[in-house]
Amino acid sequence: MPELPEVESVARALRSSLTGRRATGLVVRWAGILEPTPRAVRRASVGRVLSGVHRRGKYLVLTFTGDDGAVGHVMLHLRMSGQLLFEPDDAPDKHTHLIWDFEGRPLHYRDVRKFGRWTVVDDAVNPTAMAHVGPDMLEVRFAEWNKRVAHRKAPWKSVLLDQGVASGIGNIYADEALFRAGVHPLKTPEGTSPEKRRAVWNAAKGVLRLAVKHGGTTFLDFKDFHGKPGNFRRKLRVFQRDGEACGRCGVVIQRVVVGGRSTHYCPACQP
DNA sequence: GAATACCTGAGC
DNA sequence: GCTCAGGTATTC
């Protein structure tokens, strides 16, 4: 579930609670999460101090520095259901796959669907493994983003979800951004005026920023670092509101499938 | 692009 | 029992 705002909330929590602390142990309960191997992840991190947390789109890179100056980088992607819980009240359950120890303080990684990955990578900011990931949606300027989308013939919905164009938008915020911009999800960037493209860029950044401010959106199981849900859900205008009246115009919100993803829009506000 | 694969759980 | 789910990589 986690999209850019949810991952940003995780990044901030890691920075404030764990940077400067040493990873003193790692219990692996489901090894498929760790790439290329559990041993490699352990070697990159355990015994070293967490010295940096970088985020680009939905990706995090944690940097660990040893007393000898050696450095390891571990890229983390939560995919659909990954959660990081710091000093949780709940005991580990069958979905708790990793238990990190930071000098006596436990950090649990839970992931019901086991899609998330922790991968040893070669750099904090531009790892080879992220070569196909575009600039962060909150960072990219309009001129650069416009260059990347202008000639695309795929539906807007698919282009917003393409992490190679710009990274961070997922299914929820793609629908919300297009609603706010007043653009139909099946229209294409190529067939959209530059002014309207700017409106999409602006709406995407706006909704992401607002969601960051509200701690993200909780649908199924997003929990923040301290086990609390995000409270942006009540701000959603179209996502999973098909069949309801649009809050702006009263017309019934529709659901269609675009690129295999469920897509929600108001046919009147998004012509 | 579309289908499929990776997984488990919720809801019907 | 079947369909769907906030993501992404891979394969026609």
Side-chain angles (χ1 to χ4, degrees):
Chain A
M1 68 78 45
E3 304 181 30
L4 185 153
E6 293 76 38
V7 178
E8 174 63 16
S9 99
V10 170
R12 290 179 182 184
L14 283 168
R15 286 186 199 114
S16 69
S17 298
L18 285 173
T19 46
R21 293 190 185 279
R22 190 178 305 270
T24 41
L26 170 60
V27 175
V28 180
R29 298 164 31 126
W30 201 82
I33 297 285
L34 303 177
E35 295 179 326
T37 62
R39 172 186 290 192
V41 173
R42 209 176 254 123
R43 202 167 20 192
S45 56
V46 174
R48 296 174 174 170
V49 170
L50 180 64
S51 55
V53 178
H54 282 88
R55 182 190 62 74
R56 184 153 114 220
K58 305 168 197 171
Y59 296 81
L60 289 175
V61 180
L62 311 189
T63 297
F64 296 87
T65 303
D67 294 337
D68 57 358
V71 169
H73 306 286
V74 181
M75 180 178 79
L76 166 59
H77 198 301
L78 303 169
R79 297 284 185 101
M80 294 282 266
S81 57
Q83 304 175 335
L84 277 178
L85 299 164
F86 185 51
E87 300 183 309
D89 295 331
D90 299 325
D93 64 11
K94 64 175 173 176
H95 302 302
T96 307
H97 306 308
L98 305 177
I99 302 174
W100 292 85
D101 182 67
F102 282 85
E103 302 169 57
R105 294 158 171 257
L107 175 67
H108 289 193
Y109 178 69
R110 266 188 101 237
D111 189 346
V112 170
R113 293 178 73 179
K114 298 179 174 170
F115 286 172
R117 291 293 178 266
W118 296 67
T119 306
V120 175
V121 296
D122 52 9
D123 188 68
V125 181
N126 277 310
T128 308
M130 285 177 59
H132 307 297
V133 178
D136 187 85
M137 191 64 220
L138 281 182
E139 305 285 324
V140 69
R141 300 182 50 186
F142 175 68
E144 160 77 4
W145 180 84
N146 187 46
K147 215 184 302 172
R148 291 167 166 267
V149 304
H151 302 297
R152 300 285 298 247
K153 298 180 175 69
W156 267 113
K157 175 65 184 271
S158 302
V159 173
L160 289 183
L161 288 178
D162 184 342
Q163 305 297 299
V165 171
S167 59
I169 298 180
N171 212 28
I172 296 176
Y173 299 113
D175 285 1
E176 294 299 312
L178 290 172
F179 174 81
R180 277 154 226 249
V183 170
H184 194 288
L186 285 171
K187 282 193 74 174
T188 71
E190 194 192 42
T192 300
S193 69
E195 295 73 34
K196 205 68 175 166
R197 285 203 292 269
R198 184 181 275 277
V200 174
W201 171 81
N202 203 42
K205 291 179 77 119
V207 73
L208 291 172
R209 259 197 236 111
L210 195 60
V212 166
K213 204 182 294 181
H214 288 265
T217 303
T218 294
F219 253 95
L220 299 182
D221 45 16
F222 173 72
K223 297 275 175 52
D224 73 9
F225 215 50
H226 306 291
K228 298 199 185 116
N231 57 11
F232 191 68
R233 183 172 182 171
R234 55 200 167 79
K235 302 272 185 189
L236 300 178
R237 310 296 297 276
V238 288
F239 188 77
Q240 287 197 358
R241 285 183 175 276
D242 43 308
E244 294 180 33
C246 171
R248 184 189 283 168
C249 76
V251 166
V252 176
I253 292 167
Q254 303 293 308
R255 175 184 180 275
V256 290
V257 175
V258 182
R261 308 302 302 281
S262 81
T263 297
H264 315 77
Y265 69 101
C266 170
C269 295
Q270 297 170 255

